[in-house]
Amino acid sequence: MAKVQRFASVSRTNGDAGYESYKSHHACPFEGVNEMIKACNLQNYSIYYWDGLLFSYYEYVGDDYEADMAKMAADPTTQEWWAAVVPQMRPFGADGPWVDMEELYHLD
Amino acid sequence: MAKVQRFASVSRTNGDAGYESYKSHHACPFEGVNEMIKACNLQNYSIYYWDGLLFSYYEYVGDDYEADMAKMAADPTTQEWWAAVVPQMRPFGADGPWVDMEELYHLD
């Protein structure tokens, strides 16, 4: 079994309308989005919400994270998906909709 | 295999000093804390930080979450641990240091 790498990041929704749209989109992602995520070796992927905050958690089980993320970014369906959902978000930083968090604790 | 229930919650640290203390405590929890967490059927437990925000994620694999949480809350070592770390946090709500988040998306 490949070593599991965990990734967590934070963002926020763009007002109440952003939350409602983000929620409905993620209840039924575009066809092919989930399949590409799996093909890029991500698993156990969850997104949570509270009062404007979004929190994302997933595990990477492949051998080359950068290459798999580049593969995902090059996928036309994923690009359509991001174009649809990113406007529903309001980033914390300037580097994109999500900001990486620091792991302070882990227990398998 | 028991069904996995996922739980996520958000909190924040009590200033820079709270962050430093929270981080150092969680790098080396009191002896017995991790063991009690496992004994209460929690697994894959992570806590993340960004800019004052704390995010907690874990999975429950037992048959009675309420009973296991009550067991943990009754454990003297866990009580000592909470007494040490809760002052390092500044809750969002009035119901304790952590607020439950809503799951908007999950992909196994």
Side-chain angles (χ1 to χ4, degrees):
Chain A
M1 187 178 150
K3 177 170 161 47
V4 172
Q5 290 177 265
R6 295 175 299 278
F7 292 87
S9 52
V10 61
S11 185
R12 51 190 162 197
T13 48
N14 197 359
D16 290 344
Y19 162 70
E20 293 297 341
S21 185
Y22 193 90
K23 180 175 178 171
S24 62
H25 275 75
H26 283 79
C28 189
F30 295 171
E31 190 177 336
V33 167
N34 282 349
E35 291 75 7
M36 179 56 55
I37 290 170
K38 301 297 284 184
C40 294
N41 295 304
L42 300 183
Q43 69 177 23
N44 202 17
Y45 190 168
S46 299
I47 299 175
Y48 294 92
Y49 174 84
W50 188 78
D51 194 28
L53 289 171
L54 290 168
F55 178 88
S56 161
Y57 170 88
Y58 59 70
E59 297 160 1
Y60 178 71
V61 293
D63 298 319
D64 189 338
Y65 183 71
E66 299 301 327
D68 275 328
M69 292 306 99
K71 174 180 169 181
M72 190 182 298
D75 173 55
T77 301
T78 300
Q79 290 171 0
E80 285 175 36
W81 175 247
W82 288 347
V85 300
V86 166
Q88 301 156 6
M89 303 162 73
R90 197 152 49 91
F92 282 87
D95 294 332
W98 292 101
V99 177
D100 292 337
M101 301 185 84
E102 174 189 9
E103 185 177 291
L104 298 189
Y105 172 77
H106 180 73
L107 179 68
D108 279 342
Chain B
M1 186 177 153
K3 178 169 161 47
V4 172
Q5 290 177 265
R6 295 175 300 278
F7 293 87
S9 52
V10 61
S11 186
R12 53 190 162 196
T13 48
N14 197 357
D16 290 344
Y19 162 69
E20 294 296 341
S21 184
Y22 193 89
K23 180 176 179 172
S24 62
H25 274 75
H26 283 78
C28 189
F30 295 170
E31 189 177 336
V33 167
N34 283 349
E35 291 75 7
M36 178 55 56
I37 290 170
K38 301 295 285 184
C40 293
N41 295 306
L42 301 183
Q43 69 177 23
N44 202 15
Y45 191 168
S46 299
I47 300 175
Y48 294 92
Y49 174 84
W50 188 78
D51 195 27
L53 288 171
L54 290 168
F55 178 88
S56 160
Y57 170 88
Y58 59 71
E59 297 159 1
Y60 178 71
V61 292
D63 299 318
D64 190 337
Y65 183 71
E66 299 301 327
D68 276 327
M69 292 306 99
K71 174 181 169 180
M72 189 182 298
D75 172 55
T77 300
T78 300
Q79 290 171 1
E80 285 176 36
W81 174 246
W82 288 346
V85 300
V86 166
Q88 300 156 8
M89 302 162 74
R90 196 152 48 90
F92 282 88
D95 294 332
W98 293 101
V99 177
D100 291 339
M101 300 184 85
E102 176 188 7
E103 185 177 291
L104 298 189
Y105 173 77
H106 181 73
L107 179 68
D108 279 342

